[in-house]
Amino acid sequence: MPGFTSADELLNEFATELRQHTYGISSFTQPKVTLSPLRAESVVTLLDGAAVRVELSGRGYAALAINQANVVPGNQANVVPSEAFELLTGLLMAVSPEFQRAMHSHLYSKLLALSDSEPAPEPSGSDPRDAKAKAKYEPEAFRDSIFQLIENVDPTDDSKFTSVLDTAGNTLDYRRYGDSFFELFVTGGLIAPGGIINYDEEYGKFPFSLFVLASGDDPLAGAKRWGGLIVKLTRRYKYLERMFAESTEHILKHIHRYTEDENKMLAIGVGVLVTDAFLTLEPLKALQEDHLTKDGLALRFLTDMLRVFLMNNDINQLHKSLVRAKVGRLTEFFPPNKRDEDCFARHFEAEDMPVLIELHTATLTLARRNEFVDEVSSILRDAKEEDIDDDEEAEQIQATNLKVARAAKAAMRANKWEQHDTVSLAWDGIMNAVNWSYKSEQFEAQALVQIKRHSPVLEMLTTEPKSEISLLKHVQLYAYNEPRLTKYFGRIVLELYNTDVLSDSAIIFWATKGAKPEGKSGFLKQTEALVRKLEAMEDEDDSEDEE
């Protein structure tokens, strides 16, 4: 990759690349530039919840660290590659298996779109007036053609119905009339401007539509039958899958025009297709418009849809689906004056859906934890960028530590966190603020300097034995997941001991009883000499006490 000559050039390159990869990432922060050396950094949140610090410099794209606190359980682990990549795509593929899958799906969709957009050749000698007539858009005529095709099909014969429409795809322009096709299949008619459903004057409602099949005593059974028809009809004409997702969003925009029963059937039908992985949750974003949320219509729809989804999926799968679809927080479907935690809890308690309250609480907790980590990192980075003399450095570090300590105490009060909760987050914020060198031989020195500078913050948060053990276990996991620091774990523990963050009893307890399985044998070997020394010192103290 060529070197960058200006900060503007670097920022433009980074921002463009990030925007081009939104199909495989959940969000990203505005890139922040450092002039010496010239580099930019952004925190990229992956679809599985992991937050990756991505850097762009003259050597390419590199991953500095990964915060995996929000990763959905069961996902393949993300890794931090040691090398830089010329393209952001290459880096994200190396980091995340989930991104790889999203990219392959994205490429497939683009290829499909290209194949769909190829115009059919005009037959030689054709009359231009015929071509113009064919170009006329007539959804009503298309609807009538569908009704005529199924006129003699028994409404209970799903196999005959799908066979007829499958064959009709050779003559009817499904691609052009995709919206009309699915409006008919969902509502039983065509949706006019403004959201009013127009039914055929001669035939009435389409007999195989969702609003017909799910209108009986068992709406769920009818919706499942309807969902099976949709899947079968799109199996041959794959472009209809993409068109169905777009049509669903259009149909959902008009729920204020449908009856209460129709909205319930629509919610159940969407829930069935999302459960079957035929449809994502992305069309639900259409419900976040003010005119749909203010009177509770969007919330009622969301509740009915989630009830169906959770019949066959757990809360982790729901969280993953919401992240992938970039739906945002569920409170955004509530009326604007009811988007607080109490209203959320009361609603889903009344609906007997406590798992959604648990998910919401966990999501808020993770968001607040990440906010605190980011706040600590920002405080330390901003302090580093200040131009000060060497004589003033000690005073600046002391002032910065005091600022972080105040932020930690404020977060503990606001979120009712204990010391052992907060110290691990403070550690993440401190280490995330390191501007890691490109040279691996400097990683150890950088980590130890950072710990020494900001050990007063960690010391303040480890005044209890439980907090010390919690921090040491967290540092173990951090070193296990951060390749830069894995082989320096022993030196890090020694530095934490020398700076009075960790006591000898905490280190001995961790080594004998408290170490986590991740990297345990290697880390115990790195700390073996220190542990032996501490145990010997403890034995000497015991002997002196006995004397």
Side-chain angles (χ1 to χ4, degrees):
M1 175 177 286
F4 295 100
T5 58
S6 68
D8 289 341
E9 181 185 357
L10 182 73
L11 269 179
N12 184 58
E13 161 77 17
F14 205 173
T16 301
E17 280 288 298
L18 288 168
R19 286 194 296 269
Q20 289 176 350
H21 290 78
T22 53
Y23 60 84
I25 60 179
S26 176
S27 62
F28 58 86
T29 61
Q30 186 67 25
K32 189 174 182 180
V33 173
T34 301
L35 296 178
S36 183
L38 184 58
R39 52 185 288 274
E41 186 178 310
S42 172
V43 177
V44 177
T45 303
L46 304 176
L47 295 178
D48 61 5
V52 186
R53 282 178 56 211
V54 177
E55 176 192 79
L56 173 61
S57 64
R59 72 185 187 115
Y61 291 91
L64 303 181
I66 296 181
N67 183 348
Q68 308 205 72
N70 294 353
V71 173
V72 177
N75 278 3
Q76 289 180 261
N78 299 302
V79 297
V80 179
S82 57
E83 72 272 23
F85 292 78
E86 184 174 349
L87 299 175
L88 180 59
T89 305
L91 173 65
L92 295 178
M93 286 188 68
V95 167
S96 170
E98 190 72 21
F99 178 83
Q100 294 177 24
R101 287 189 285 271
M103 191 199 73
H104 293 153
S105 176
H106 176 68
L107 291 176
Y108 176 76
S109 298
K110 291 184 70 175
L111 290 171
L112 197 61
L114 288 172
S115 66
D116 289 346
S117 62
E118 291 180 1
E122 288 288 335
S124 59
S126 60
D127 191 332
R129 289 172 297 180
D130 292 339
K132 184 175 180 180
K134 290 178 182 177
K136 190 175 181 181
Y137 185 68
E138 297 179 314
E140 291 82 6
F142 174 81
R143 175 194 61 193
D144 293 344
S145 297
I146 295 291
F147 271 110
Q148 290 165 12
L149 283 169
I150 66 164
E151 190 171 7
N152 297 318
V153 176
D154 188 327
T156 63
D157 192 346
D158 293 351
S159 179
K160 177 68 173 177
F161 168 74
T162 54
S163 176
V164 168
L165 288 192
D166 187 65
T167 304
N170 297 320
T171 54
L172 293 179
D173 195 348
Y174 287 167
R175 182 179 286 113
R176 188 177 186 205
Y177 290 100
D179 286 337
S180 301
F181 190 62
F182 289 120
E183 287 174 10
L184 199 61
F185 261 92
V186 174
T187 69
L190 298 179
I191 299 177
I196 304 300
I197 304 173
N198 287 334
Y199 298 110
D200 188 278
E201 294 182 359
E202 179 181 355
Y203 297 103
K205 287 186 178 182
F206 190 58
F208 291 92
S209 68
L210 174 63
F211 284 4
V212 171
L213 296 180
S215 61
D217 296 334
D218 191 348
L220 180 59
K224 287 181 177 179
R225 178 187 168 195
W226 169 81
L229 295 177
I230 292 290
V231 172
K232 288 178 181 177
L233 286 169
T234 56
R235 187 173 294 158
R236 178 177 177 186
Y237 304 99
K238 300 299 288 185
Y239 58 86
L240 288 177
E241 290 186 17
R242 184 180 70 256
M243 297 183 75
F244 179 77
E246 296 169 354
S247 296
T248 300
E249 185 171 345
H250 169 68
I251 293 168
L252 293 184
K253 289 179 179 179
H254 302 295
I255 63 170
H256 60 301
R257 299 297 188 186
Y258 312 148
T259 67
E260 183 178 343
D261 288 341
E262 287 171 341
N263 278 331
K264 189 174 185 68
M265 289 186 283
L266 181 56
I268 293 172
V270 170
V272 166
L273 292 179
V274 173
T275 298
D276 292 341
F278 178 82
L279 188 67
T280 71
L281 293 174
E282 190 167 357
L284 292 184
K285 289 188 284 188
L287 299 176
Q288 294 173 342
E289 298 292 334
D290 290 343
H291 68 283
L292 300 180
T293 61
K294 66 179 182 179
D295 295 325
L297 281 175
L299 177 57
R300 183 70 263 158
F301 187 98
L302 176 75
T303 303
D304 291 335
M305 191 283 297
L306 291 180
R307 194 185 305 280
V308 174
F309 181 82
L310 291 171
M311 288 179 181
N312 297 290
N313 296 277
D314 61 27
I315 202 66
N316 289 328
Q317 290 168 310
L318 174 59
H319 176 69
K320 189 173 182 179
S321 297
L322 289 169
V323 171
R324 280 181 172 175
K326 303 177 185 178
V327 170
R329 294 182 180 179
L330 295 182
T331 49
E332 294 177 24
F333 293 89
F334 279 66
N337 62 339
K338 295 182 178 180
R339 292 179 180 174
D340 56 82
E341 295 180 47
D342 289 340
C343 288
F344 187 96
R346 284 198 300 269
H347 173 76
F348 286 109
E349 280 176 1
E351 295 292 336
D352 193 24
M353 301 173 74
V355 291
L356 291 175
I357 302 173
E358 294 171 11
L359 173 63
H360 181 65
T361 302
T363 301
L364 286 178
T365 300
L366 288 172
R368 289 165 182 164
R369 289 166 67 91
N370 286 338
E371 287 172 4
F372 174 64
V373 171
D374 291 341
E375 182 182 6
V376 172
S377 297
S378 296
I379 292 172
L380 301 189
R381 288 199 193 101
D382 291 344
K384 285 181 182 178
E385 292 177 3
E386 294 178 10
D387 188 14
I388 60 171
D389 297 331
D390 292 340
D391 296 338
E392 299 174 338
E393 185 177 9
E395 293 181 6
Q396 185 214 45
I397 292 173
Q398 185 178 5
T400 302
N401 287 336
L402 181 60
K403 193 172 182 179
V404 173
R406 287 172 178 166
K409 289 180 179 178
M412 291 172 70
R413 286 194 301 270
N415 300 296
K416 298 180 180 178
W417 291 341
E418 300 293 337
Q419 264 195 15
H420 63 271
D421 298 314
T422 314
V423 68
S424 298
L425 302 176
W427 167 271
D428 286 348
I430 290 170
M431 299 312 293
N432 285 355
V434 177
N435 183 14
W436 296 105
S437 170
Y438 302 138
K439 299 178 180 180
S440 58
E441 60 269 20
Q442 295 181 5
F443 293 163
E444 178 185 11
Q446 286 186 288
L448 298 181
V449 166
Q450 188 77 344
I451 293 168
K452 187 173 183 178
R453 281 182 172 177
H454 305 297
S455 59
V457 175
L458 299 174
E459 186 180 359
M460 179 202 76
L461 295 170
T462 51
T463 59
E464 303 168 357
K466 186 176 181 180
S467 302
E468 291 185 64
I469 298 299
S470 178
L471 174 61
L472 188 44
K473 288 181 178 180
H474 184 75
V475 172
Q476 177 189 346
L477 291 177
Y478 192 92
Y480 178 77
N481 291 313
E482 174 54 85
R484 292 187 183 93
L485 303 180
T486 302
K487 63 181 181 180
Y488 305 123
F489 175 76
R491 291 283 292 115
I492 290 171
V493 173
L494 178 60
E495 186 65 32
L496 290 171
Y497 173 72
N498 289 336
T499 53
D500 296 325
V501 175
L502 296 178
S503 64
D504 52 358
S505 57
I507 296 173
I508 292 172
F509 178 86
W510 170 85
T512 55
K513 300 178 181 179
K516 287 182 169 292
E518 290 84 355
K520 179 177 178 179
S521 60
F523 291 148
L524 287 177
K525 188 173 183 180
Q526 289 187 39
T527 56
E528 185 178 6
L530 173 61
V531 172
R532 279 204 308 267
K533 177 183 176 182
L534 296 177
E535 287 176 332
M537 291 170 57
E538 194 174 68
D539 290 340
E540 288 179 8
D541 292 340
D542 291 341
S543 299
E544 290 176 2
D545 291 340
E546 290 175 3
E547 293 175 2

